[in-house]
Every structure is written in C-alpha cells, then in structure tokens.
Amino acid sequence: MIRPAHQRPKTTQRGVTLIEVLVTIAIVAMATAGILFGVSTLSSARLRESAVLVASAIRMGYNHANAKSRTTRMVLTFGESDPNAKNSPRITLEDSPGRLFLQSGDRTGGAAAATEAEAAAIEAAEEILEGPRKARPSFSPIKDLLGFEHENPSLPPATKLLGSGIYFRQVEVEHEEDPIFEDRAYVYFFPGGMAERAHVQIQKGSGDADDADIMTISVAPLTGKVEVLSGAVDLPRPLTEEDLSEREDTGF
C-alpha cells in the first residue's frame, strides 16, 4: 500500500507595501523632530535664563556701588563646559575700597592685575610710559551679597554660572577699543550712579551661532539701565556725547 506523501500547508509571505514604509518613515521623522524640538526649547530657555542672570548681576553691581560707595565691577569669565564648574562661563561681582580712574585701552580698565596675562599686559604697557603712575586698586569678590549668595565651594563668593551649554560670545566695554572674545572682561560701576557702557553677548553652544541663538544685554551709562535684545547687537562706535549722557538737549 502506497501512502500519500505528506503535504505541507502552503504559507503566503506578504511583503511590506510602499505605504507602510512611508508611514514608518513619517513616524520616525516625527519622533526625531519632537526630540530635537524639546532639546531646542530647553536650550532656548537656558539662553533666556542666562540673559536674565547677566541683567540681574548688572543691576546688583550698580546698586551695590551706590549703596556701599565702593567701586564695583562685574567679571565675565569666558570658559568651556566643565563638570567641576571651575572653567565654566561665569559671572562674579567684585568691589574695591580704592578709587578707580577708568583708563581707556587698558586690559583691566586701570585696576590691579588679577591674572598672569593681565600682569604681563600691564607691564608691557607701562614700560613705554614715563613719570609717576597712579596706584591700581585691587578688587575682591563681594561676600554675602543678597541674591548672589555663595553656592558652590569650588567657586569664589558672589559667583554664578551661565546655564548649561550657554557661553559668552563677545563683550564690548567703553575702556576697550576692540571686542573681547576670551579670558575675562570687566564692566565697572561707580558710586554716585555711574555705569560703564557695555554690550554683553551670550549664545547657545561654543561654536558659530545663528542670530536666533544669540542674545545681547546692553548696559547704559548714568542710569545703569539694562536692556535684553535678541540677536547679536554691537556697541555703537564711536560713542557720541549724546550716547554717553543719554540726555536730549531741550534748549533749556
């Protein structure tokens, strides 16, 4: 007796249709876009928070100079992202009991050197000068400054870090002819309601940035008025008397 051969049931293999492929690609693209949008939104929030931090430091420095009758300065330290925070971009408020005569074209504006690079620059500049030199006042971080309390033991007092991924792009101040792109920059405030005119630019990331990823914090003289601007806004040069005084001649 011949037994019939075992017959396996036929299976039908269905391929993936073009529509299914397109739907899958669309879902992946939407998910990726959502992640990127979330990251962009977070970094934009950090940029705005850092701009507010710089603006707050300016007002605190201006008010401290008036309240304590001490020359005060905001120190802007350029840096790179550092998990230990020691080299991260940061702001420090310092003051001095000495009187500062703001010097144009001077690395520190007439103050004593705080770094080796500043000391070398001052020494090179003073080699070509003749006659007596004015004493350079020393500055130190302000202790127990309300609103700028000491939070990180690895940092000086009255120091705040910029938001994660936010960097100083450039700083322009009255006492320097050219924009500052590295090391340190100083913005000074004086007793009696005087402030040094300055523009501080911050940005997302440490490389080239689009204008939409940059914010400028403007400091006005006399009033110390602070304005936060979108994009990269350079300090107008040359400065006119009207710019410096912020007053309009009404004829009276």
Side-chain angles (χ1 to χ4, degrees):
M1 179 178 180
I2 300 175
R3 296 181 179 179
H6 178 71
Q7 295 181 352
R8 295 182 179 179
K10 293 182 179 180
T11 58
T12 302
Q13 294 183 348
R14 187 176 68 85
V16 179
T17 66
L18 178 60
I19 294 178
E20 290 173 329
V21 172
L22 294 176
V23 169
T24 302
I25 293 175
I27 293 173
V28 172
M30 291 174 63
T32 303
I35 294 173
L36 294 177
F37 178 77
V39 172
S40 177
T41 301
L42 179 59
S43 60
S44 295
R46 288 173 177 167
L47 181 65
R48 291 192 296 270
E49 290 172 358
S50 296
V52 171
L53 174 63
V54 175
S56 299
I58 292 168
R59 293 307 304 173
M60 288 183 182
Y62 179 84
N63 292 335
H64 180 81
N66 284 327
K68 301 297 183 180
S69 296
R70 294 169 70 96
T71 303
T72 304
R73 70 181 182 183
M74 179 175 65
V75 184
L76 307 172
T77 303
F78 291 73
E80 300 178 356
S81 181
D82 181 3
N84 297 321
K86 292 183 179 180
N87 297 320
S88 294
R90 60 189 182 273
I91 305 168
T92 304
L93 290 175
E94 301 179 339
D95 68 1
S96 172
R99 186 176 180 183
L100 175 72
F101 298 91
L102 196 62
Q103 299 180 20
S104 298
D106 189 277
R107 183 73 175 266
T108 65
T115 66
E116 293 182 1
E118 291 174 358
I122 291 173
E123 182 179 358
E126 290 185 344
E127 285 181 354
I128 61 176
L129 297 178
E130 297 181 357
R133 302 180 180 89
K134 296 178 181 178
R136 290 175 172 266
S138 297
F139 284 75
S140 57
I142 304 170
K143 296 181 179 180
D144 303 323
L145 181 62
L146 183 63
F148 241 71
E149 292 85 358
H150 197 194
E151 296 178 345
N152 193 323
S154 65
L155 297 174
T159 297
K160 297 285 188 181
L161 300 178
L162 295 187
S164 177
I166 307 302
Y167 297 83
F168 291 113
R169 181 175 183 268
Q170 72 173 38
V171 178
E172 293 181 278
V173 292
E174 275 187 54
H175 71 267
E176 285 276 15
E177 295 180 357
D178 300 318
I180 303 164
F181 299 100
E182 59 184 0
D183 297 330
R184 285 178 157 205
Y186 302 102
V187 181
Y188 286 93
F189 311 98
F190 303 93
M194 293 290 293
E196 181 180 17
R197 187 179 178 90
H199 275 199
V200 179
Q201 295 182 17
I202 60 175
Q203 68 173 50
K204 298 180 189 177
S206 57
D208 294 335
D210 296 331
D211 207 50
D213 296 331
I214 301 171
M215 298 191 80
T216 301
I217 301 89
S218 171
V219 188
L222 289 184
T223 61
K225 179 182 177 182
V226 182
E227 188 175 4
V228 178
L229 309 169
S230 297
V233 182
D234 294 334
L235 186 69
R237 296 179 186 273
L239 301 177
T240 65
E241 291 297 328
E242 183 178 353
D243 289 334
L244 292 175
S245 66
E246 291 186 317
R247 297 176 180 174
E248 295 181 1
D249 185 2
T250 59
F252 295 96

